[in-house]
Amino acid sequence: SKNRGYELITFEASLNKKSVYHTNVLMFIGSGIACIASNLIKDNKTVISGLEKHHKIIELSEEEIKNFCGNSLEVRDKDNNLILLMSSRAYKNYANKNIKELHSHYSKILHCNLNNIENIGGGSLRCMILELFWKPYRIKSKRRIMKKLSTTRVTIICLLIGIVVGFFGRKWGIF
């Protein structure tokens, strides 16, 4: 965290008297917005005050968390517009005021049906996406210099997981 200029804040969280195993379960943090179920975090004042320094906070309910709303992910398109990715289950289960707030912040909200992944695997969209962060650099070729690579995150969607689960699920009679 220090190498990237971030402050590390540790915390404990629980849902239904079980420890939350990953931050993706109870929150996502975008460039100017953070959705979080702070009521699930023990001694949440430090977490909230840290987030409030740079983000607008949207509170998530336990019902939203159980439906993977904390498993959303912000990306940018080729024109640098902010887009929010999530499962259709998450999209349908955001509280009306929260989804309106998200629509006001993002140019697009994209969602897809991930029922197989969510019901069988227990994860959601962020479990299927790899984020790569790097600093821009120039690559020299024989006759030209390639354009600087983007400083924004590059996201690779690993749809292969969904295809494999869907294919074998049908083949084995699971779905």
Side-chain angles (χ1 to χ4, degrees), residues 4-129:
R4 295 216 172 252
Y6 294 106
E7 176 187 359
L8 180 64
I9 299 173
T10 60
F11 60 87
E12 292 178 38
S14 62
L15 177 63
N16 297 331
K17 299 181 182 178
K18 293 181 182 176
S19 291
V20 174
Y21 64 93
H22 200 291
T23 55
N24 289 1
V25 173
L26 63 102
M27 76 168 89
F28 82 85
I29 301 173
S31 57
I33 201 163
C35 285
I36 183 169
S38 65
N39 61 320
L40 303 180
I41 300 172
K42 182 180 177 182
D43 302 322
N44 63 18
K45 291 179 181 80
T46 306
V47 175
I48 295 299
S49 65
L51 286 171
E52 285 178 331
K53 291 177 188 175
H54 306 286
H55 297 82
K56 176 175 179 37
I57 306 281
I58 294 178
E59 272 297 328
L60 298 177
S61 68
E62 283 189 30
E63 192 62 29
E64 287 170 302
I65 293 305
K66 290 175 184 176
N67 286 289
F68 300 99
C69 295
N71 213 279
S72 302
L73 181 69
E74 176 183 293
V75 296
R76 292 180 184 267
D77 67 13
K78 64 181 175 147
D79 297 320
N80 213 29
N81 296 311
L82 291 175
I83 297 172
L84 188 62
L85 305 176
M86 66 183 69
S87 71
S88 295
R89 180 174 172 179
Y91 186 81
K92 292 173 187 171
N93 284 281
Y94 266 105
N96 286 336
K97 66 178 181 150
N98 289 349
I99 201 71
K100 285 179 186 176
E101 184 67 40
L102 291 171
H103 273 289
S104 72
H105 186 74
Y106 293 99
S107 62
K108 289 181 192 170
I109 296 178
L110 302 176
H111 59 91
C112 60
N113 183 332
L114 299 175
N115 288 337
N116 292 350
I117 302 295
E118 292 172 336
N119 294 336
I120 294 173
S124 190
L125 185 116
R126 278 173 64 180
C127 304
M128 298 168 46
I129 296 179

Side-chain angles (χ1 to χ4, degrees), residues 116-117 120 128 158-172 174-175:
N116 292 350
I117 302 295
I120 294 173
M128 298 168 46
C158 302
L159 294 176
L160 180 60
I161 295 168
I163 293 167
V164 169
V165 169
F167 173 76
F168 285 107
R170 279 190 218 78
K171 184 175 181 177
W172 297 331
I174 297 170
F175 311 115

Side-chain angles (χ1 to χ4, degrees), residues 75 129-134 149-156:
V75 296
I129 296 179
L130 169 68
E131 298 170 275
L132 301 175
F133 304 88
W134 65 66
L149 295 171
S150 173
T151 58
T152 60
R153 71 178 78 175
V154 174
T155 304
I156 302 171

